[in-house]
PDB file of all heavy atoms in Angstrom:
ATOM      1  N   MET E   1     -25.597  32.644  -6.205  1.00 91.00           N
ATOM      2  CA  MET E   1     -26.491  31.604  -6.710  1.00 91.00           C
ATOM      3  C   MET E   1     -26.565  30.360  -5.727  1.00 91.00           C
ATOM      4  O   MET E   1     -27.147  29.342  -6.099  1.00 91.00           O
ATOM      5  CB  MET E   1     -26.208  31.205  -8.092  1.00 91.00           C
ATOM      6  CG  MET E   1     -26.407  32.330  -9.101  1.00 91.00           C
ATOM      7  SD  MET E   1     -28.111  32.683  -9.439  1.00 91.00           S
ATOM      8  CE  MET E   1     -28.518  31.289 -10.439  1.00 91.00           C
ATOM      9  N   GLU E   2     -25.794  30.448  -4.598  1.00 94.00           N
ATOM     10  CA  GLU E   2     -25.746  29.403  -3.744  1.00 94.00           C
ATOM     11  C   GLU E   2     -26.858  29.560  -2.653  1.00 94.00           C
ATOM     12  O   GLU E   2     -27.276  30.632  -2.258  1.00 94.00           O
ATOM     13  CB  GLU E   2     -24.408  29.255  -2.928  1.00 94.00           C
ATOM     14  CG  GLU E   2     -23.134  29.097  -3.965  1.00 94.00           C
ATOM     15  CD  GLU E   2     -21.939  29.104  -3.125  1.00 94.00           C
ATOM     16  OE1 GLU E   2     -21.916  29.434  -2.002  1.00 94.00           O
ATOM     17  OE2 GLU E   2     -20.855  28.703  -3.764  1.00 94.00           O
ATOM     18  N   ARG E   3     -27.283  28.382  -2.197  1.00 96.00           N
ATOM     19  CA  ARG E   3     -28.331  28.304  -1.092  1.00 96.00           C
ATOM     20  C   ARG E   3     -29.514  29.187  -1.306  1.00 96.00           C
ATOM     21  O   ARG E   3     -29.865  30.118  -0.654  1.00 96.00           O
ATOM     22  CB  ARG E   3     -27.667  28.631   0.212  1.00 96.00           C
ATOM     23  CG  ARG E   3     -26.547  27.726   0.561  1.00 96.00           C
ATOM     24  CD  ARG E   3     -25.988  27.772   1.994  1.00 96.00           C
ATOM     25  NE  ARG E   3     -25.094  26.828   2.284  1.00 96.00           N
ATOM     26  CZ  ARG E   3     -24.547  26.517   3.492  1.00 96.00           C
ATOM     27  NH1 ARG E   3     -24.945  27.252   4.514  1.00 96.00           N
ATOM     28  NH2 ARG E   3     -23.556  25.665   3.641  1.00 96.00           N
ATOM     29  N   VAL E   4     -30.181  28.898  -2.574  1.00 97.00           N
ATOM     30  CA  VAL E   4     -31.404  29.778  -2.849  1.00 97.00           C
ATOM     31  C   VAL E   4     -32.455  29.156  -2.161  1.00 97.00           C
ATOM     32  O   VAL E   4     -32.745  28.058  -2.067  1.00 97.00           O
ATOM     33  CB  VAL E   4     -31.586  29.607  -4.442  1.00 97.00           C
ATOM     34  CG1 VAL E   4     -32.806  30.355  -4.868  1.00 97.00           C
ATOM     35  CG2 VAL E   4     -30.362  30.247  -5.089  1.00 97.00           C
ATOM     36  N   GLY E   5     -33.326  30.120  -1.549  1.00 97.00           N
ATOM     37  CA  GLY E   5     -34.511  29.652  -0.867  1.00 97.00           C
ATOM     38  C   GLY E   5     -34.907  30.702   0.123  1.00 97.00           C
ATOM     39  O   GLY E   5     -34.372  31.880   0.166  1.00 97.00           O
ATOM     40  N   VAL E   6     -35.966  30.462   0.912  1.00 96.00           N
ATOM     41  CA  VAL E   6     -36.567  31.417   1.881  1.00 96.00           C
ATOM     42  C   VAL E   6     -36.524  30.870   3.236  1.00 96.00           C
ATOM     43  O   VAL E   6     -36.849  31.656   4.216  1.00 96.00           O
ATOM     44  CB  VAL E   6     -37.961  31.847   1.394  1.00 96.00           C
ATOM     45  CG1 VAL E   6     -37.942  32.595   0.129  1.00 96.00           C
ATOM     46  CG2 VAL E   6     -38.909  30.706   1.289  1.00 96.00           C
ATOM     47  N   LEU E   7     -36.189  29.584   3.457  1.00 96.00           N
ATOM     48  CA  LEU E   7     -36.365  28.946   4.724  1.00 96.00           C
ATOM     49  C   LEU E   7     -34.950  28.544   5.152  1.00 96.00           C
ATOM     50  O   LEU E   7     -34.526  27.462   4.640  1.00 96.00           O
ATOM     51  CB  LEU E   7     -37.325  27.884   4.806  1.00 96.00           C
ATOM     52  CG  LEU E   7     -37.863  27.232   6.061  1.00 96.00           C
ATOM     53  CD1 LEU E   7     -38.491  28.380   6.956  1.00 96.00           C
ATOM     54  CD2 LEU E   7     -38.743  26.202   5.910  1.00 96.00           C
ATOM     55  N   ASP E   8     -34.285  29.075   6.092  1.00 96.00           N
ATOM     56  CA  ASP E   8     -32.933  28.745   6.536  1.00 96.00           C
ATOM     57  C   ASP E   8     -33.114  27.545   7.410  1.00 96.00           C
ATOM     58  O   ASP E   8     -34.128  27.171   7.995  1.00 96.00           O
ATOM     59  CB  ASP E   8     -32.308  29.850   7.231  1.00 96.00           C
ATOM     60  CG  ASP E   8     -30.847  29.574   7.503  1.00 96.00           C
ATOM     61  OD1 ASP E   8     -30.026  29.652   6.547  1.00 96.00           O
ATOM     62  OD2 ASP E   8     -30.473  29.255   8.619  1.00 96.00           O
ATOM     63  N   GLN E   9     -31.975  26.736   7.473  1.00 96.00           N
ATOM     64  CA  GLN E   9     -31.978  25.597   8.332  1.00 96.00           C
ATOM     65  C   GLN E   9     -32.235  25.949   9.830  1.00 96.00           C
ATOM     66  O   GLN E   9     -32.845  25.185  10.518  1.00 96.00           O
ATOM     67  CB  GLN E   9     -30.646  24.854   8.260  1.00 96.00           C
ATOM     68  CG  GLN E   9     -30.561  23.443   8.902  1.00 96.00           C
ATOM     69  CD  GLN E   9     -29.249  22.764   8.602  1.00 96.00           C
ATOM     70  OE1 GLN E   9     -28.366  23.314   8.119  1.00 96.00           O
ATOM     71  NE2 GLN E   9     -29.226  21.426   8.914  1.00 96.00           N
ATOM     72  N   ASN E  10     -31.926  27.086  10.277  1.00 95.00           N
ATOM     73  CA  ASN E  10     -32.128  27.546  11.589  1.00 95.00           C
ATOM     74  C   ASN E  10     -33.533  27.894  11.807  1.00 95.00           C
ATOM     75  O   ASN E  10     -34.053  28.022  13.003  1.00 95.00           O
ATOM     76  CB  ASN E  10     -31.280  28.748  11.988  1.00 95.00           C
ATOM     77  CG  ASN E  10     -29.844  28.496  11.957  1.00 95.00           C
ATOM     78  OD1 ASN E  10     -29.425  27.431  12.285  1.00 95.00           O
ATOM     79  ND2 ASN E  10     -28.956  29.481  11.596  1.00 95.00           N
ATOM     80  N   GLU E  11     -34.315  27.980  10.782  1.00 95.00           N
ATOM     81  CA  GLU E  11     -35.820  28.358  10.835  1.00 95.00           C
ATOM     82  C   GLU E  11     -36.674  27.103  10.481  1.00 95.00           C
ATOM     83  O   GLU E  11     -37.923  27.288  10.390  1.00 95.00           O
ATOM     84  CB  GLU E  11     -36.024  29.455   9.827  1.00 95.00           C
ATOM     85  CG  GLU E  11     -35.287  30.741  10.051  1.00 95.00           C
ATOM     86  CD  GLU E  11     -35.422  31.636   8.888  1.00 95.00           C
ATOM     87  OE1 GLU E  11     -35.590  31.282   7.758  1.00 95.00           O
ATOM     88  OE2 GLU E  11     -35.233  32.938   9.217  1.00 95.00           O
ATOM     89  N   GLY E  12     -36.044  26.044  10.415  1.00 94.00           N
ATOM     90  CA  GLY E  12     -36.864  24.831  10.117  1.00 94.00           C
ATOM     91  C   GLY E  12     -36.605  24.157   8.747  1.00 94.00           C
ATOM     92  O   GLY E  12     -37.183  23.226   8.406  1.00 94.00           O
ATOM     93  N   GLY E  13     -35.804  24.865   7.936  1.00 97.00           N
ATOM     94  CA  GLY E  13     -35.529  24.318   6.671  1.00 97.00           C
ATOM     95  C   GLY E  13     -34.568  23.084   6.706  1.00 97.00           C
ATOM     96  O   GLY E  13     -34.045  22.815   7.814  1.00 97.00           O
ATOM     97  N   LEU E  14     -34.468  22.496   5.601  1.00 97.00           N
ATOM     98  CA  LEU E  14     -33.589  21.240   5.520  1.00 97.00           C
ATOM     99  C   LEU E  14     -32.251  21.605   5.221  1.00 97.00           C
ATOM    100  O   LEU E  14     -31.936  22.747   4.872  1.00 97.00           O
ATOM    101  CB  LEU E  14     -34.222  20.317   4.432  1.00 97.00           C
ATOM    102  CG  LEU E  14     -35.639  19.862   4.708  1.00 97.00           C
ATOM    103  CD1 LEU E  14     -36.053  18.951   3.584  1.00 97.00           C
ATOM    104  CD2 LEU E  14     -35.841  19.204   6.079  1.00 97.00           C
ATOM    105  N   SER E  15     -31.293  20.636   5.262  1.00 97.00           N
ATOM    106  CA  SER E  15     -29.880  20.838   5.164  1.00 97.00           C
ATOM    107  C   SER E  15     -29.624  21.514   3.740  1.00 97.00           C
ATOM    108  O   SER E  15     -29.935  20.963   2.727  1.00 97.00           O
ATOM    109  CB  SER E  15     -29.145  19.562   5.292  1.00 97.00           C
ATOM    110  OG  SER E  15     -27.730  19.754   4.996  1.00 97.00           O
ATOM    111  N   PRO E  16     -28.763  22.574   3.757  1.00 97.00           N
ATOM    112  CA  PRO E  16     -28.479  23.301   2.405  1.00 97.00           C
ATOM    113  C   PRO E  16     -27.654  22.472   1.444  1.00 97.00           C
ATOM    114  O   PRO E  16     -27.750  22.607   0.313  1.00 97.00           O
ATOM    115  CB  PRO E  16     -27.831  24.499   2.846  1.00 97.00           C
ATOM    116  CG  PRO E  16     -27.389  24.351   4.230  1.00 97.00           C
ATOM    117  CD  PRO E  16     -28.229  23.296   4.886  1.00 97.00           C
ATOM    118  N   THR E  17     -26.875  21.571   1.969  1.00 97.00           N
ATOM    119  CA  THR E  17     -25.957  20.869   1.167  1.00 97.00           C
ATOM    120  C   THR E  17     -26.496  19.395   0.845  1.00 97.00           C
ATOM    121  O   THR E  17     -25.761  18.640   0.274  1.00 97.00           O
ATOM    122  CB  THR E  17     -24.498  20.765   1.801  1.00 97.00           C
ATOM    123  OG1 THR E  17     -24.692  20.121   2.989  1.00 97.00           O
ATOM    124  CG2 THR E  17     -23.890  22.221   1.955  1.00 97.00           C
ATOM    125  N   SER E  18     -27.699  19.157   1.166  1.00 97.00           N
ATOM    126  CA  SER E  18     -28.218  17.672   1.152  1.00 97.00           C
ATOM    127  C   SER E  18     -28.379  17.236  -0.335  1.00 97.00           C
ATOM    128  O   SER E  18     -28.430  16.031  -0.515  1.00 97.00           O
ATOM    129  CB  SER E  18     -29.510  17.624   1.817  1.00 97.00           C
ATOM    130  OG  SER E  18     -30.342  18.503   1.364  1.00 97.00           O
ATOM    131  N   LEU E  19     -28.431  18.086  -1.315  1.00 97.00           N
ATOM    132  CA  LEU E  19     -28.640  17.652  -2.746  1.00 97.00           C
ATOM    133  C   LEU E  19     -27.381  17.811  -3.663  1.00 97.00           C
ATOM    134  O   LEU E  19     -27.477  17.474  -4.706  1.00 97.00           O
ATOM    135  CB  LEU E  19     -29.765  18.440  -3.349  1.00 97.00           C
ATOM    136  CG  LEU E  19     -31.200  18.232  -2.614  1.00 97.00           C
ATOM    137  CD1 LEU E  19     -32.197  19.045  -3.419  1.00 97.00           C
ATOM    138  CD2 LEU E  19     -31.582  16.835  -2.597  1.00 97.00           C
ATOM    139  N   VAL E  20     -26.237  18.330  -3.029  1.00 97.00           N
ATOM    140  CA  VAL E  20     -25.119  18.707  -3.867  1.00 97.00           C
ATOM    141  C   VAL E  20     -24.616  17.428  -4.584  1.00 97.00           C
ATOM    142  O   VAL E  20     -24.305  17.501  -5.722  1.00 97.00           O
ATOM    143  CB  VAL E  20     -24.091  19.311  -3.053  1.00 97.00           C
ATOM    144  CG1 VAL E  20     -22.733  19.541  -3.827  1.00 97.00           C
ATOM    145  CG2 VAL E  20     -24.548  20.732  -2.469  1.00 97.00           C
ATOM    146  N   ALA E  21     -24.468  16.347  -3.818  1.00 95.00           N
ATOM    147  CA  ALA E  21     -23.835  15.116  -4.462  1.00 95.00           C
ATOM    148  C   ALA E  21     -24.887  14.199  -4.966  1.00 95.00           C
ATOM    149  O   ALA E  21     -24.595  13.115  -5.389  1.00 95.00           O
ATOM    150  CB  ALA E  21     -23.043  14.377  -3.297  1.00 95.00           C
ATOM    151  N   GLN E  22     -26.125  14.584  -5.124  1.00 96.00           N
ATOM    152  CA  GLN E  22     -27.153  13.648  -5.556  1.00 96.00           C
ATOM    153  C   GLN E  22     -27.196  13.635  -7.140  1.00 96.00           C
ATOM    154  O   GLN E  22     -26.791  14.572  -7.899  1.00 96.00           O
ATOM    155  CB  GLN E  22     -28.565  14.092  -4.976  1.00 96.00           C
ATOM    156  CG  GLN E  22     -28.687  14.002  -3.513  1.00 96.00           C
ATOM    157  CD  GLN E  22     -28.272  12.636  -3.003  1.00 96.00           C
ATOM    158  OE1 GLN E  22     -28.922  11.659  -3.489  1.00 96.00           O
ATOM    159  NE2 GLN E  22     -27.459  12.568  -2.078  1.00 96.00           N
ATOM    160  N   ASN E  23     -27.859  12.605  -7.603  1.00 95.00           N
ATOM    161  CA  ASN E  23     -28.069  12.495  -9.104  1.00 95.00           C
ATOM    162  C   ASN E  23     -28.999  13.572  -9.521  1.00 95.00           C
ATOM    163  O   ASN E  23     -30.188  13.524  -9.070  1.00 95.00           O
ATOM    164  CB  ASN E  23     -28.596  11.043  -9.392  1.00 95.00           C
ATOM    165  CG  ASN E  23     -28.566  10.869 -10.924  1.00 95.00           C
ATOM    166  OD1 ASN E  23     -28.657  11.711 -11.664  1.00 95.00           O
ATOM    167  ND2 ASN E  23     -28.479   9.495 -11.216  1.00 95.00           N
ATOM    168  N   ALA E  24     -28.570  14.409 -10.441  1.00 96.00           N
ATOM    169  CA  ALA E  24     -29.445  15.546 -10.942  1.00 96.00           C
ATOM    170  C   ALA E  24     -30.656  14.938 -11.604  1.00 96.00           C
ATOM    171  O   ALA E  24     -31.759  15.582 -11.546  1.00 96.00           O
ATOM    172  CB  ALA E  24     -28.650  16.461 -11.738  1.00 96.00           C
ATOM    173  N   SER E  25     -30.469  13.839 -12.378  1.00 96.00           N
ATOM    174  CA  SER E  25     -31.671  13.249 -13.036  1.00 96.00           C
ATOM    175  C   SER E  25     -32.700  12.840 -12.104  1.00 96.00           C
ATOM    176  O   SER E  25     -34.020  12.954 -12.432  1.00 96.00           O
ATOM    177  CB  SER E  25     -31.091  12.142 -13.926  1.00 96.00           C
ATOM    178  OG  SER E  25     -30.225  12.592 -14.853  1.00 96.00           O
ATOM    179  N   LEU E  26     -32.345  12.258 -10.985  1.00 96.00           N
ATOM    180  CA  LEU E  26     -33.364  11.814 -10.033  1.00 96.00           C
ATOM    181  C   LEU E  26     -34.042  12.938  -9.422  1.00 96.00           C
ATOM    182  O   LEU E  26     -35.295  12.922  -9.283  1.00 96.00           O
ATOM    183  CB  LEU E  26     -32.586  11.012  -8.945  1.00 96.00           C
ATOM    184  CG  LEU E  26     -33.469  10.616  -7.643  1.00 96.00           C
ATOM    185  CD1 LEU E  26     -34.537   9.664  -8.069  1.00 96.00           C
ATOM    186  CD2 LEU E  26     -32.634  10.010  -6.583  1.00 96.00           C
ATOM    187  N   ILE E  27     -33.377  14.073  -9.041  1.00 97.00           N
ATOM    188  CA  ILE E  27     -34.001  15.165  -8.433  1.00 97.00           C
ATOM    189  C   ILE E  27     -34.911  15.815  -9.536  1.00 97.00           C
ATOM    190  O   ILE E  27     -36.018  16.225  -9.156  1.00 97.00           O
ATOM    191  CB  ILE E  27     -32.997  16.148  -7.938  1.00 97.00           C
ATOM    192  CG1 ILE E  27     -32.053  15.577  -6.925  1.00 97.00           C
ATOM    193  CG2 ILE E  27     -33.511  17.406  -7.301  1.00 97.00           C
ATOM    194  CD1 ILE E  27     -32.696  14.858  -5.729  1.00 97.00           C
ATOM    195  N   ARG E  28     -34.524  15.973 -10.670  1.00 97.00           N
ATOM    196  CA  ARG E  28     -35.372  16.590 -11.769  1.00 97.00           C
ATOM    197  C   ARG E  28     -36.609  15.729 -11.967  1.00 97.00           C
ATOM    198  O   ARG E  28     -37.704  16.226 -12.070  1.00 97.00           O
ATOM    199  CB  ARG E  28     -34.526  16.584 -13.078  1.00 97.00           C
ATOM    200  CG  ARG E  28     -35.344  17.272 -14.111  1.00 97.00           C
ATOM    201  CD  ARG E  28     -34.565  17.306 -15.496  1.00 97.00           C
ATOM    202  NE  ARG E  28     -33.328  18.189 -15.320  1.00 97.00           N
ATOM    203  CZ  ARG E  28     -33.334  19.520 -15.469  1.00 97.00           C
ATOM    204  NH1 ARG E  28     -34.429  20.113 -15.886  1.00 97.00           N
ATOM    205  NH2 ARG E  28     -32.190  20.210 -15.263  1.00 97.00           N
ATOM    206  N   ALA E  29     -36.431  14.311 -11.928  1.00 97.00           N
ATOM    207  CA  ALA E  29     -37.630  13.468 -12.142  1.00 97.00           C
ATOM    208  C   ALA E  29     -38.655  13.675 -11.030  1.00 97.00           C
ATOM    209  O   ALA E  29     -39.823  13.658 -11.147  1.00 97.00           O
ATOM    210  CB  ALA E  29     -37.162  12.026 -12.352  1.00 97.00           C
ATOM    211  N   ALA E  30     -38.089  13.713  -9.776  1.00 97.00           N
ATOM    212  CA  ALA E  30     -38.966  13.874  -8.604  1.00 97.00           C
ATOM    213  C   ALA E  30     -39.714  15.166  -8.605  1.00 97.00           C
ATOM    214  O   ALA E  30     -40.897  15.235  -8.186  1.00 97.00           O
ATOM    215  CB  ALA E  30     -38.145  13.750  -7.302  1.00 97.00           C
ATOM    216  N   LEU E  31     -39.127  16.219  -9.129  1.00 98.00           N
ATOM    217  CA  LEU E  31     -39.755  17.568  -9.186  1.00 98.00           C
ATOM    218  C   LEU E  31     -40.727  17.707 -10.387  1.00 98.00           C
ATOM    219  O   LEU E  31     -41.866  18.172 -10.237  1.00 98.00           O
ATOM    220  CB  LEU E  31     -38.693  18.677  -9.203  1.00 98.00           C
ATOM    221  CG  LEU E  31     -37.931  18.782  -7.923  1.00 98.00           C
ATOM    222  CD1 LEU E  31     -36.807  19.813  -8.135  1.00 98.00           C
ATOM    223  CD2 LEU E  31     -38.634  19.168  -6.720  1.00 98.00           C
ATOM    224  N   GLN E  32     -40.244  17.222 -11.454  1.00 97.00           N
ATOM    225  CA  GLN E  32     -41.069  17.345 -12.648  1.00 97.00           C
ATOM    226  C   GLN E  32     -42.236  16.409 -12.660  1.00 97.00           C
ATOM    227  O   GLN E  32     -43.317  16.586 -13.206  1.00 97.00           O
ATOM    228  CB  GLN E  32     -40.265  17.089 -13.922  1.00 97.00           C
ATOM    229  CG  GLN E  32     -39.293  18.298 -14.351  1.00 97.00           C
ATOM    230  CD  GLN E  32     -38.623  18.047 -15.611  1.00 97.00           C
ATOM    231  OE1 GLN E  32     -38.367  16.981 -15.945  1.00 97.00           O
ATOM    232  NE2 GLN E  32     -38.272  19.180 -16.309  1.00 97.00           N
ATOM    233  N   GLY E  33     -42.073  15.249 -12.054  1.00 97.00           N
ATOM    234  CA  GLY E  33     -43.084  14.195 -12.143  1.00 97.00           C
ATOM    235  C   GLY E  33     -44.288  14.392 -11.109  1.00 97.00           C
ATOM    236  O   GLY E  33     -45.228  13.641 -11.157  1.00 97.00           O
ATOM    237  N   ASN E  34     -44.027  15.339 -10.203  1.00 97.00           N
ATOM    238  CA  ASN E  34     -45.183  15.635  -9.251  1.00 97.00           C
ATOM    239  C   ASN E  34     -46.092  16.638  -9.786  1.00 97.00           C
ATOM    240  O   ASN E  34     -45.744  17.773 -10.137  1.00 97.00           O
ATOM    241  CB  ASN E  34     -44.471  16.125  -7.862  1.00 97.00           C
ATOM    242  CG  ASN E  34     -45.360  16.091  -6.757  1.00 97.00           C
ATOM    243  OD1 ASN E  34     -46.561  16.426  -6.894  1.00 97.00           O
ATOM    244  ND2 ASN E  34     -44.826  15.768  -5.594  1.00 97.00           N
ATOM    245  N   ARG E  35     -47.293  16.223  -9.871  1.00 96.00           N
ATOM    246  CA  ARG E  35     -48.414  17.109 -10.396  1.00 96.00           C
ATOM    247  C   ARG E  35     -49.008  18.085  -9.463  1.00 96.00           C
ATOM    248  O   ARG E  35     -49.744  19.058  -9.800  1.00 96.00           O
ATOM    249  CB  ARG E  35     -49.598  16.247 -11.011  1.00 96.00           C
ATOM    250  CG  ARG E  35     -49.122  15.327 -12.117  1.00 96.00           C
ATOM    251  CD  ARG E  35     -50.308  14.609 -12.650  1.00 96.00           C
ATOM    252  NE  ARG E  35     -50.976  13.706 -11.599  1.00 96.00           N
ATOM    253  CZ  ARG E  35     -50.541  12.555 -11.342  1.00 96.00           C
ATOM    254  NH1 ARG E  35     -49.574  11.994 -11.973  1.00 96.00           N
ATOM    255  NH2 ARG E  35     -51.165  11.731 -10.374  1.00 96.00           N
ATOM    256  N   GLY E  36     -48.467  17.953  -8.186  1.00 96.00           N
ATOM    257  CA  GLY E  36     -48.848  18.997  -7.174  1.00 96.00           C
ATOM    258  C   GLY E  36     -50.036  18.757  -6.303  1.00 96.00           C
ATOM    259  O   GLY E  36     -50.191  19.281  -5.307  1.00 96.00           O
ATOM    260  N   MET E  37     -50.825  17.753  -6.626  1.00 96.00           N
ATOM    261  CA  MET E  37     -52.044  17.360  -5.930  1.00 96.00           C
ATOM    262  C   MET E  37     -51.575  16.170  -4.981  1.00 96.00           C
ATOM    263  O   MET E  37     -51.321  15.148  -5.420  1.00 96.00           O
ATOM    264  CB  MET E  37     -53.193  16.995  -6.818  1.00 96.00           C
ATOM    265  CG  MET E  37     -53.736  18.216  -7.574  1.00 96.00           C
ATOM    266  SD  MET E  37     -54.567  19.437  -6.429  1.00 96.00           S
ATOM    267  CE  MET E  37     -55.996  18.458  -5.834  1.00 96.00           C
ATOM    268  N   MET E  38     -51.779  16.343  -3.702  1.00 96.00           N
ATOM    269  CA  MET E  38     -51.372  15.258  -2.781  1.00 96.00           C
ATOM    270  C   MET E  38     -52.568  14.834  -1.833  1.00 96.00           C
ATOM    271  O   MET E  38     -53.319  15.763  -1.428  1.00 96.00           O
ATOM    272  CB  MET E  38     -50.159  15.665  -1.879  1.00 96.00           C
ATOM    273  CG  MET E  38     -48.866  15.362  -2.716  1.00 96.00           C
ATOM    274  SD  MET E  38     -47.481  16.267  -1.970  1.00 96.00           S
ATOM    275  CE  MET E  38     -47.816  17.858  -2.486  1.00 96.00           C
ATOM    276  N   VAL E  39     -52.564  13.630  -1.432  1.00 97.00           N
ATOM    277  CA  VAL E  39     -53.687  13.128  -0.714  1.00 97.00           C
ATOM    278  C   VAL E  39     -53.593  13.630   0.808  1.00 97.00           C
ATOM    279  O   VAL E  39     -54.470  13.658   1.540  1.00 97.00           O
ATOM    280  CB  VAL E  39     -53.700  11.607  -0.721  1.00 97.00           C
ATOM    281  CG1 VAL E  39     -53.929  11.120  -2.157  1.00 97.00           C
ATOM    282  CG2 VAL E  39     -52.409  10.868  -0.079  1.00 97.00           C
ATOM    283  N   SER E  40     -52.335  13.956   1.193  1.00 98.00           N
ATOM    284  CA  SER E  40     -52.089  14.174   2.625  1.00 98.00           C
ATOM    285  C   SER E  40     -51.848  15.676   2.841  1.00 98.00           C
ATOM    286  O   SER E  40     -50.996  16.288   2.191  1.00 98.00           O
ATOM    287  CB  SER E  40     -50.860  13.376   3.139  1.00 98.00           C
ATOM    288  OG  SER E  40     -50.432  13.809   4.300  1.00 98.00           O
ATOM    289  N   ARG E  41     -52.466  16.159   3.889  1.00 98.00           N
ATOM    290  CA  ARG E  41     -52.251  17.540   4.300  1.00 98.00           C
ATOM    291  C   ARG E  41     -50.757  17.695   4.902  1.00 98.00           C
ATOM    292  O   ARG E  41     -50.023  18.619   4.488  1.00 98.00           O
ATOM    293  CB  ARG E  41     -53.222  17.894   5.426  1.00 98.00           C
ATOM    294  CG  ARG E  41     -52.819  19.072   6.321  1.00 98.00           C
ATOM    295  CD  ARG E  41     -53.878  19.485   7.368  1.00 98.00           C
ATOM    296  NE  ARG E  41     -53.311  20.362   8.367  1.00 98.00           N
ATOM    297  CZ  ARG E  41     -53.319  21.613   8.204  1.00 98.00           C
ATOM    298  NH1 ARG E  41     -53.798  22.148   7.094  1.00 98.00           N
ATOM    299  NH2 ARG E  41     -52.836  22.530   9.164  1.00 98.00           N
ATOM    300  N   TRP E  42     -50.342  16.746   5.639  1.00 98.00           N
ATOM    301  CA  TRP E  42     -49.027  16.813   6.227  1.00 98.00           C
ATOM    302  C   TRP E  42     -47.942  16.419   5.090  1.00 98.00           C
ATOM    303  O   TRP E  42     -46.764  17.026   5.277  1.00 98.00           O
ATOM    304  CB  TRP E  42     -48.901  15.802   7.334  1.00 98.00           C
ATOM    305  CG  TRP E  42     -49.584  16.351   8.646  1.00 98.00           C
ATOM    306  CD1 TRP E  42     -50.814  16.040   9.223  1.00 98.00           C
ATOM    307  CD2 TRP E  42     -49.128  17.425   9.412  1.00 98.00           C
ATOM    308  NE1 TRP E  42     -51.021  16.767  10.287  1.00 98.00           N
ATOM    309  CE2 TRP E  42     -50.015  17.653  10.376  1.00 98.00           C
ATOM    310  CE3 TRP E  42     -47.962  18.126   9.438  1.00 98.00           C
ATOM    311  CZ2 TRP E  42     -49.892  18.541  11.485  1.00 98.00           C
ATOM    312  CZ3 TRP E  42     -47.837  19.112  10.468  1.00 98.00           C
ATOM    313  CH2 TRP E  42     -48.782  19.344  11.464  1.00 98.00           C
ATOM    314  N   GLY E  43     -48.241  15.670   4.139  1.00 98.00           N
ATOM    315  CA  GLY E  43     -47.367  15.572   3.065  1.00 98.00           C
ATOM    316  C   GLY E  43     -47.042  16.847   2.309  1.00 98.00           C
ATOM    317  O   GLY E  43     -46.055  17.182   1.924  1.00 98.00           O
TER     318      GLY E  43
END
């Protein structure tokens, strides 16, 4: 169950351990609060 995803860091993915020490409530809020429609193509 570690490092779940499809894009490895060697393939352009982000650091696999970058969220381990982060506040879980902040990450949950950032993901749940996003409705999915963004103004920016690059965003």
Side-chain angles (χ1 to χ4, degrees):
M1 297 287 284
E2 297 179 351
R3 302 194 176 185
V4 176
V6 295
L7 192 62
D8 191 76
Q9 190 173 13
N10 296 329
E11 301 167 330
L14 302 182
S15 172
T17 59
S18 55
L19 298 181
V20 173
Q22 296 304 311
N23 187 334
S25 299
L26 173 65
I27 304 303
R28 183 180 296 275
L31 295 173
Q32 286 183 331
N34 196 321
R35 297 184 298 275
M37 294 291 296
M38 276 167 285
V39 301
S40 170
R41 164 182 166 82
W42 284 103

